[in-house]
Amino acid sequence: MLQFQPPGFGSKFIHTSLGAMVYYTQISAPWENSKDQDLPPLLFLHNFGGGASAYEWSKIYPAYASTYRILAPDLIGWGKSAHPVRDYQIQDYLTTILEFITQTCNQPVTVVASSLTAALTIRLAVSYPDLFKALFLACPSGFNDFGEGAGRRLPLSLINTPLVDNLIYALGAENEIAVRNFLQSFLFAKPERVTQEMVSAYLGSAQQYQAKFAALSFLRGNLYFDLSLYIQQLQVPTVMLWGEKAQFTNMQLGRRLANLNPGAIKGFHEIPDTGILPHLEIPAVVMGILQKYNKTGELKI
């Protein structure tokens, strides 16, 4: 759900087994000379949590629009994509992200993803390594890494109680005060970096019809898993970016995960004074790190 669309970007969609998936890409000026070229694909996958959408990466992906075909989807259940009424499971996202890649990319794709979606990307790269060129992952976590169960914050008895779950979502995600508090308290290290535009974008996504189902599945822990069981099998070259003050996915966890597979993990970058979304909190710093790999060619982006 984009309240802010970078100049020259607009929406398209594909059909998945769970409904339409909307994505954002170059469609007009100033990208007329690049949108129809056979540019390598660069896929941006947003995190989960109330109000999540492709907006999360909208401060980053325009920087690469002249050299890559940008693909920034709202995942199923989020943003402007379909919101089927279901108890979402891990396989739903593995399947629909795979469907998106196979329908939109005719060559190996470089993926930029965050948190739980970054962890899901690792699982897909383990199963389908030929589909991926490189991974750039911000705070990848399965929220149950090393069996420590760091994700769930509300008792299952509350989340699973009819009507109470509606109240939890309404109070926690469908009003401006709650959205601002969520961004300031859980996602950002510096509350003053949260802008009204960000609040509006997250709120707009959270208020989409039937948006509660994906968010409540996330809160229940349906989508959590132990990433440490998969990352050891990863072969696709990968760089990790980690917010120094990220909640639930702290630096110690990140280094433990990276150390499980030094052959695939080509870089680990601590981003000082940021939370779980360093790319939204201080986009210029993250772009500087990504540009380093573009210049060296080690992991071109």
Side-chain angles (χ1 to χ4, degrees):
M1 179 72 176
L2 289 184
Q3 297 294 329
F4 167 79
Q5 292 195 37
F9 281 80
S11 63
K12 296 184 178 181
F13 72 93
I14 65 157
H15 292 287
T16 75
S17 55
L18 289 181
M21 187 183 296
V22 171
Y23 68 99
Y24 301 90
T25 190
Q26 304 102 310
I27 63 168
S28 63
W31 312 116
E32 297 99 325
N33 295 329
S34 62
K35 68 184 180 70
D36 294 324
Q37 293 180 12
D38 189 22
L39 297 176
L42 182 57
L43 174 60
F44 291 84
L45 298 177
H46 65 78
N47 184 25
F48 292 161
S53 72
Y55 172 82
E56 177 189 317
W57 288 105
S58 65
K59 310 301 181 185
I60 299 291
Y61 61 68
Y64 304 96
S66 62
T67 50
Y68 288 89
R69 183 165 61 94
I70 304 300
L71 302 165
D74 289 338
L75 297 177
I76 293 294
W78 308 92
K80 289 187 175 179
S81 290
H83 295 73
V85 177
R86 63 190 291 114
D87 197 14
Y88 290 82
Q89 304 294 321
I90 292 170
Q91 192 59 48
D92 292 331
Y93 288 103
L94 294 176
T95 298
T96 52
I97 293 171
L98 179 62
E99 289 172 342
F100 183 85
I101 291 172
T102 56
Q103 289 188 51
T104 60
C105 302
N106 58 9
Q107 57 182 293
V109 61
T110 298
V111 178
V112 185
S114 64
S115 195
L116 182 57
T117 311
L120 292 170
T121 301
I122 288 175
R123 288 184 58 165
L124 283 173
V126 167
S127 298
Y128 305 95
D130 292 344
L131 292 180
F132 299 89
K133 182 178 181 181
L135 310 180
F136 292 84
L137 308 178
C139 304
S141 174
F143 285 86
N144 193 28
D145 304 322
F146 302 99
E148 295 177 359
R152 187 177 295 117
R153 300 189 293 275
L154 292 174
L156 278 175
S157 57
L158 282 179
I159 301 171
N160 290 330
T161 302
L163 300 182
V164 174
D165 58 353
N166 290 339
L167 181 62
I168 289 172
Y169 188 73
L171 293 178
E174 288 188 300
N175 66 87
E176 185 169 325
I177 294 174
V179 169
R180 185 176 294 277
N181 180 67
F182 173 64
L183 292 171
Q184 291 180 339
S185 301
F186 294 102
L187 300 188
F188 279 32
K190 295 282 190 179
E192 62 271 20
R193 292 176 181 149
V194 174
T195 67
Q196 183 58 46
E197 178 189 287
M198 295 173 189
V199 173
S200 297
Y202 273 76
L203 182 60
S205 179
Q207 290 177 336
Q208 293 293 296
Y209 181 60
Q210 297 178 344
K212 71 174 185 178
F213 292 98
L216 290 174
S217 293
F218 174 70
L219 283 177
R220 290 188 188 100
N222 291 2
L223 309 177
Y224 301 164
F225 62 94
D226 188 345
L227 179 58
S228 68
L229 302 179
Y230 297 89
I231 198 168
Q232 300 172 68
Q233 306 169 59
L234 182 65
Q235 300 178 22
V236 176
T238 298
V239 169
M240 289 186 179
L241 315 175
W242 222 279
E244 177 194 21
K245 298 180 179 179
Q247 291 198 44
F248 310 112
T249 57
N250 58 54
M251 291 293 302
Q252 181 182 7
L253 170 66
R255 294 194 181 280
R256 286 178 70 190
L257 288 170
N259 289 338
L260 289 175
N261 192 343
I265 310 301
K266 305 299 184 182
F268 185 98
H269 296 270
E270 175 182 341
I271 304 178
D273 235 8
T274 60
I276 201 169
L277 301 180
H279 45 287
L280 188 57
E281 191 166 2
I282 312 181
V285 173
V286 173
M287 282 191 285
I289 293 172
L290 298 182
Q291 187 63 28
K292 166 191 172 183
Y293 292 95
N294 191 39
K295 289 180 178 179
T296 64
E298 181 184 1
L299 287 173
K300 190 174 177 64
I301 186 172

